[in-house]
Amino acid sequence: MFLQHLPLAPWAERTGAGLRLTLLSDTPDLDEVHVRFLLDNEETWQPLARAADRGRFACFEATIPWCPTGPTTRYCFRVLRDGVPYWLAATGPQRRVPNEAHHFRIARQPLVPAWARQQLIYQIFPDRFARGPDAPRERPPHAFGYGKAPVHALDWGAPLDVKPSWSAFYGGDLAGIGERLGHLQAIGVTTVYLTPVFASGSNHRYDTEDYDHVDAGLGGDEALVALSRQLHANGMRLVLDAVLNHTGANHPWFNRFAQHEVPGAWQSAGSRWQGWYARDEHGRPVYWKGHQSLPVLDYAHPEVLDTFIRAPDSVLRRWLQPPVSADGWRLDAVHMLGEGPGAGNNAAMLRAMRDAVRDENPEAILVGEHFSEASPWLQGDQEDAAMNYWGFTLPLWQWLAGVDFGGRAAPIATTDLVDWLGESRAVVPHEVALAQWNALDSHDTQRLFTLLGTDEARHALALALQFGYPGVPCIYYGDEVGLQGGNDPDNRRCFDWSGASWRGGILERVKQLAAWRRDRAELREGACITLAHGNDWVAFARVNATAVTLLLLNRGDAVDAVLPLDALPFDVDRWDSPSGHAWTLDGRTVRLPLPACDAVWLWSADA
C-alpha cells in the first residue's frame, strides 16, 4: 500500500476554515483514514472523507483547525487496512506513531517573505573580492585584535605570508563590488551577502569597533549607500552581517587597549558600559570561544537590548532604514547570544530580533549561522532560515569528500545521506526549508573544490545538488570559477580578475544551473521526494502542482538505474533531459544508464 502527501498546495492549503489536507493512496478500500494533529500540544484525531480520485490515486480530505499556540500546526496521517495501521509523516511511511519532531508542519500565515526562496545568494568577503578605483585607502599603522599589531598592505593576490594574518589587507572595498556587478548578474546572482562591513581593526571585521559606521577602508558609509542603491537599481538585494554576540576588544565600550579617551568596561568598574559585557563567576570578562579579541555582550542588560534590538535606532533597525535599506541580516554566532555568560533566554532574544526587523520592514529576512542542527531556531518565530551547514553542507562533504568540517575522516553511505537530508527537511516547515542557504563552503571552511583535489566531475555533483535541492544556493565568492583554498586564512584568497586561473567549465556549469533553477518553479518551490538510491547513487524528485524535475547523482562507477515513479502525485507522459542523457520510460518506471561520477537531469516536458 502506498500513501503520499506533500506539504504544499494543492495537497495542503490554507483556508479561512483551517488547513485543508489531501492524502493520496493507491488503495481506495481503506478501513479508516485519520489525521492526527496537535492542539495546544494535545493529541487530536479527525477522520478524512473520500473525495474525487486524482488520476490513479484515491483521495481523502479533511480540514483541521489551526493550532492556537505556537507558530505551526503539526500533523501526520494514520490509515487502517485489514486491521493493520500505516502511518505517514514528513520523514515518509512509518509502521508506528511518528516522532512529533517528524510531523508535517504548516503555519497559519506565511513565515518567510516570498522573495527569500527565489534567490541566488553570493557571499563576499570584501577585502578579497575587488578593489575600486580609489583603493587602496590609507589605514592606521596598527590594528588591535588580541593586541597591537602592524597593518600589512599587500598587493592584490600576493601570498599571505605575514603575521598576524588578520591584520593583512589587500584593499578590496565596496566600490570594487559595485564595479563587478556585471559578473554577478551574468551568473544569475540576485542577492549579495557581505561579511561584516562595520569599522574594525581586522580584515574579517568580526571584531566590531563601531556599529554606527562602515569601515573607512571599505569606503565608509557613503560607499555602502552607493552599493545598496546600485544593487536595488539592478533588481538585486543586500544582506548584511550582524555581529551581535560580541564586540571587538578595541570597541570603546570595552577599550581593552586604552585607545579611546573614555574608560571602557575593561579599565573601570565605574564605566557606563561595565554591565554590558558578560562575566564569569570570578568577575572576569567572557570571550567568544576563548578568543580574547572578542568579549561577549550580556543581553540581560536593558541598554544592550535597546542598542542592538529594541530602540527605534537600534543596530538591527538602523541599517534596514534609508539610505542603506538593507534587505536583511545574517546573524553571526547567534545561537550563543543571551543573558549572562551563556545563551540564557536565547529564544526570547531571537524572537525580539524578529519582531524588531519585521516591524521595521516586513519583507526583511533573518538568517542564522549554525554549524550544528538549527531546527529549534527555524520554527517560524525566530529565524527565517539558516546557513544550512548541518542540513546540507556537512552531509554533502561527508558523502563526496569523506570528511567533516574538522578534517576528520567521516565517510557516509548513500542511505545515510538520504536519511540525513530527509530528517533535516522534515524538522522544519517546508517554506523554511525552501529558504535555507545551501553553500558548498564559506569563509569559515575549506573550499570544497580544494578538498576534492580539484576533481571537477565530483565538484559538478556538488553543484548539481546545490541547485537542485530545496533551499537557496549560496555561492562563496570565487567558487564559480574554481577558486581554491584550505583552512582559514587560505580560504579567503583574492579573486583573480585576470581570469588566468579560472576554470571555465565550472563557470559555465554554474550559469546553466542558475538558469534552470530560474526557469523551473519546482526547483525553487517544490517538495522533495527521494525516489530511489543505490550504493553510490541517489535520485530526487522536485515536485509542485504541475511539474516535476528529477535529479540523479552518482559518485561511483557507471550503473543502470531504475526509478519507480509511483511516489509522484501525478503521472508524467513526456520527459526531457536538459543534461543530454538517454532514458527509457516503462510505464511508471524510468530506466537509464547512469554514467560514472555524473549528474543526470530529467524534467516533465509539458511544464
Side-chain angles (χ1 to χ4, degrees):
M1 186 181 64
F2 176 77
L3 301 173
Q4 183 60 284
H5 170 78
L6 303 178
L8 71 164
W11 306 282
E13 296 184 290
R14 297 179 175 99
T15 74
L19 178 59
R20 186 169 64 206
L21 302 173
T22 298
L23 177 68
L24 307 178
S25 176
D26 63 354
T27 305
D29 55 338
L30 298 174
D31 301 329
E32 296 178 8
V33 184
H34 283 87
V35 56
R36 177 191 185 271
F37 57 100
L38 301 174
L39 288 180
D40 294 326
N41 298 319
E42 179 68 17
E43 176 184 73
T44 308
W45 292 78
Q46 185 167 319
L48 282 79
R50 180 71 185 275
D53 292 351
R54 296 188 183 181
R56 59 189 169 87
F57 286 111
C59 291
F60 301 86
E61 295 182 350
T63 298
I64 62 174
W66 295 106
C67 181
T69 56
T72 63
T73 294
R74 295 167 287 166
Y75 63 94
C76 65
F77 300 95
R78 177 188 180 274
V79 305
L80 192 68
R81 186 188 185 201
D82 298 331
V84 178
Y86 300 86
W87 295 83
L88 181 67
T91 46
Q94 311 285 333
R95 294 306 304 269
R96 58 172 178 79
V97 58
N99 186 316
E100 289 178 2
H102 297 163
H103 280 40
F104 297 105
R105 59 195 68 207
I106 294 179
R108 186 170 193 164
Q109 301 294 334
L111 297 175
V112 182
W115 67 268
R117 61 178 178 264
Q118 309 293 333
Q119 303 304 294
L120 173 54
I121 312 291
Y122 194 85
Q123 178 189 353
I124 293 177
F125 191 88
D127 185 61
R128 309 294 160 82
F129 183 65
R131 284 177 170 178
D134 297 328
R137 294 176 176 84
E138 184 176 349
R139 295 189 60 88
H142 293 93
F144 295 86
Y146 288 94
K148 185 177 181 181
V151 166
H152 304 280
L154 303 181
D155 292 334
W156 195 257
L160 182 54
D161 55 4
V162 298
K163 293 186 181 302
S165 63
W166 54 263
S167 67
F169 293 85
Y170 287 90
D173 61 7
L174 300 181
I177 297 171
E179 286 197 331
R180 300 295 182 172
L181 289 191
H183 172 75
L184 305 188
Q185 290 175 307
I187 300 169
V189 170
T190 57
T191 292
V192 170
Y193 152 49
L194 302 177
T195 57
V197 298
F198 302 113
S200 165
S202 71
N203 52 45
H204 57 72
R205 298 183 173 88
Y206 282 97
D207 49 350
T208 311
E209 295 181 9
D210 185 352
Y211 291 92
D212 294 330
H213 296 289
V214 174
D215 197 298
L218 297 177
D221 296 356
E222 298 81 5
L224 185 61
V225 171
L227 177 60
S228 180
R229 287 174 174 169
Q230 189 176 358
L231 288 167
H232 290 143
N234 284 279
M236 304 171 76
R237 296 182 184 263
L238 173 66
V239 173
L240 300 176
D241 208 323
V243 187
L244 309 185
N245 177 68
H246 49 264
T247 70
N250 196 45
H251 195 293
W253 302 339
F254 199 73
N255 201 14
R256 179 169 184 170
F257 307 109
Q259 295 300 297
H260 309 286
E261 183 176 346
V262 178
W266 172 265
Q267 283 101 2
S268 172
S271 168
R272 62 157 293 194
W273 301 292
Q274 174 69 13
W276 285 39
Y277 289 90
R279 306 272 173 171
D280 65 17
E281 63 273 19
H282 303 292
R284 297 172 300 201
V286 174
Y287 299 97
W288 178 77
K289 298 181 76 170
H291 295 287
Q292 295 193 13
S293 59
L294 305 174
V296 172
L297 290 157
D298 186 352
Y299 279 78
H301 198 291
E303 290 186 46
V304 173
L305 276 172
D306 288 342
T307 297
F308 288 101
I309 304 174
R310 297 188 306 199
D313 62 345
S314 68
V315 171
L316 281 179
R317 288 176 176 267
R318 183 185 320 138
W319 297 98
L320 300 179
Q321 299 165 359
V324 171
S325 302
D327 297 286
W329 292 100
R330 179 263 196 189
L331 303 170
D332 178 67
V334 72
H335 54 286
M336 303 179 76
L337 177 152
E339 298 176 350
N345 281 334
N346 179 264
M349 300 301 109
L350 266 295
R351 292 186 185 106
M353 290 182 192
R354 185 184 183 91
D355 290 345
V357 166
R358 286 291 203 271
D359 180 65
E360 195 62 49
N361 178 2
E363 291 293 298
I365 61 170
L366 286 176
V367 179
E369 178 203 27
H370 303 273
F371 273 85
S372 297
E373 203 250 320
S375 62
W377 291 268
L378 297 171
Q379 298 306 312
D381 59 344
Q382 298 178 52
E383 298 165 4
D384 295 298
M387 296 187 74
N388 199 12
Y389 288 115
W390 179 260
F392 179 82
T393 314
L394 184 57
L396 175 66
W397 273 35
Q398 294 189 203
W399 190 63
L400 286 180
V403 298
D404 63 16
F405 294 140
R408 295 171 287 264
I412 59 172
T414 302
T415 186
D416 297 323
L417 174 77
V418 169
D419 290 345
W420 193 337
L421 293 177
E423 288 183 12
S424 71
R425 296 193 306 271
V427 294
V428 299
H430 175 63
E431 62 185 301
V432 172
L434 295 176
Q436 295 275 67
W437 284 16
N438 294 338
L440 303 186
D441 42 44
S442 75
H443 67 293
D444 283 325
T445 73
Q446 296 183 60
R447 299 250 183 193
L448 180 60
F449 189 49
T450 298
L451 197 63
L452 295 174
T454 69
D455 183 336
E456 287 200 31
R458 219 159 177 81
H459 188 255
L461 295 179
L463 285 171
L465 189 62
Q466 184 182 33
F467 281 83
Y469 189 72
V472 178
C474 183
I475 299 172
Y476 181 39
Y477 80 97
D479 277 357
E480 76 278 14
V481 296
L483 183 62
Q484 294 193 54
N487 288 318
D488 178 16
D490 190 47
N491 56 356
R492 304 169 184 182
R493 298 183 190 180
C494 293
F495 196 106
D496 176 15
W497 287 108
S498 76
S501 64
W502 289 18
R503 300 290 187 110
I506 295 178
L507 180 59
E508 293 308 310
R509 186 172 296 114
V510 169
K511 289 179 179 179
Q512 183 65 80
L513 291 169
W516 290 350
R517 187 176 187 274
R518 183 173 60 249
D519 293 342
R520 303 288 298 193
E522 69 271 24
L523 292 179
R524 303 188 307 274
E525 300 178 350
C528 184
I529 303 170
T530 304
L531 294 178
H533 66 273
N535 289 336
D536 289 307
W537 65 274
V538 60
F540 298 104
R542 296 296 307 281
V543 184
N544 66 9
T546 59
V548 181
T549 290
L550 307 183
L551 172 59
L552 295 85
L553 304 172
N554 181 22
R555 67 176 180 179
D557 296 332
V559 64
D560 291 328
V562 178
L563 303 185
L565 304 180
D566 293 332
L568 299 182
F570 50 84
D571 291 332
V572 175
D573 296 326
R574 292 193 309 114
W575 297 91
D576 283 338
S577 176
S579 56
H581 292 83
W583 80 96
T584 58
L585 182 62
D586 180 9
R588 289 193 298 274
T589 301
V590 168
R591 302 176 185 274
L592 53 81
L594 189 52
C597 202
D598 201 5
V600 174
W601 295 78
L602 297 176
W603 58 43
S604 51
D606 53 351

